[in-house]
Amino acid sequence: LEVFDDTGKMYVNTIVEGGKRMQRLISDLLEYSRVGRMGNPREFVSLRQPVEEALALLHARIQESGATVTIDTLPDVWIDRPQMIRLFQNLVGNALKYRGDKVPHVRIWSQDSSDLWKIYVSDNGIGIAEEFFDLVFIIFKRLHTRDEYPGTGIGLAICKRILERHGGSIRLIPGQTEGSTFEFTLSKQPPV
């Protein structure tokens, strides 16, 4: 039985970590590709339902960070519920991840806007500089190194794709003095 020296252990660790990153990347890529191709039938439900399900999935991270999440009144909308759960899981998960040294505060609310709903998710985290607003929705675009913040750089691209499938859009609201505010739209009309 041969024993690895420190250099050998470092190589094995590097290979194992690279394999884990590759597995996460493949999983996220599969999810990204499925959003546009496959989906569940749309249901007319309160948007609060997928928000609460996403928060339940994030429960341990919310507890660990001491975060507070405020959910204001949300509309009833036509959605693919599993995809909308994933969207909120990504947006709230990012607020928990990119918090800096602050206790995260996340607020989710809506605004009626003629033939669509505007939904907002805001946080008090590290924020995103306005010159990067469009880049964050491009697959694999990361603003930070893996050492600073883990992840594959696919989460917001998945959010964008989910909303496009729903006939909506997503953007960052400029002029924030602290944190980030994402605005996305959902139609009031049933799917065609």
Side-chain angles (χ1 to χ4, degrees):
L1 182 70
E2 293 182 16
V3 178
F4 289 113
D5 63 6
D6 288 343
T7 303
K9 289 177 185 176
M10 182 188 70
Y11 288 144
V12 169
N13 259 353
T14 301
I15 291 168
V16 169
E17 287 305 310
K20 287 178 184 176
R21 279 195 309 275
M22 185 62 68
Q23 187 176 17
R24 281 191 301 270
L25 180 62
I26 290 169
S27 175
D28 285 351
L29 277 171
L30 282 171
E31 183 176 357
Y32 180 79
S33 72
R34 287 183 187 133
V35 168
R37 291 184 296 115
M38 299 173 7
N40 300 296
R42 305 271 177 91
E43 307 171 56
F44 190 66
V45 297
S46 168
L47 197 55
R48 182 176 279 277
Q49 288 180 8
V51 170
E52 288 176 350
E53 290 180 60
L55 296 180
L57 292 169
L58 293 166
H59 178 75
R61 289 177 57 197
I62 290 169
Q63 292 294 107
E64 170 202 309
S65 66
T68 57
V69 180
T70 305
I71 308 167
D72 293 350
T73 303
L74 295 174
D76 292 343
V77 287
W78 288 96
I79 57 168
D80 177 332
R81 202 167 86 187
Q83 286 188 353
M84 204 54 57
I85 292 167
R86 179 61 174 174
L87 178 129
F88 282 108
Q89 190 177 2
N90 282 345
L91 292 176
V92 175
N94 279 354
L96 301 175
K97 182 193 303 186
Y98 299 105
R99 68 181 185 254
D101 57 358
K102 299 174 186 168
V103 173
H105 298 288
V106 180
R107 180 176 172 227
I108 302 168
W109 75 98
S110 65
Q111 181 180 26
D112 190 339
S113 180
S114 185
D115 61 340
L116 52 84
W117 289 104
K118 291 183 178 180
I119 314 299
Y120 299 90
V121 178
S122 68
D123 64 61
N124 66 331
I126 64 171
I128 300 170
E130 288 186 34
E131 64 261 28
F132 300 118
F133 275 17
D134 292 332
L135 292 178
V136 297
F137 297 106
I138 298 172
I139 194 166
F140 302 128
K141 288 292 183 183
R142 296 177 52 94
L143 303 182
H144 306 278
T145 67
R146 264 192 308 274
D147 294 334
E148 292 175 293
Y149 296 99
T152 57
I154 297 178
L156 290 176
I158 288 173
C159 290
K160 181 179 180 194
R161 197 152 183 179
I162 288 170
L163 289 162
E164 287 170 349
R165 182 173 175 268
H166 281 79
S169 62
I170 187 168
R171 70 183 186 112
L172 277 151
I173 300 294
Q176 303 294 299
T177 57
E178 177 182 71
S180 299
T181 298
F182 289 87
E183 174 193 82
F184 65 88
T185 60
L186 291 170
S187 175
K188 292 181 180 179
Q189 303 304 314
V192 180

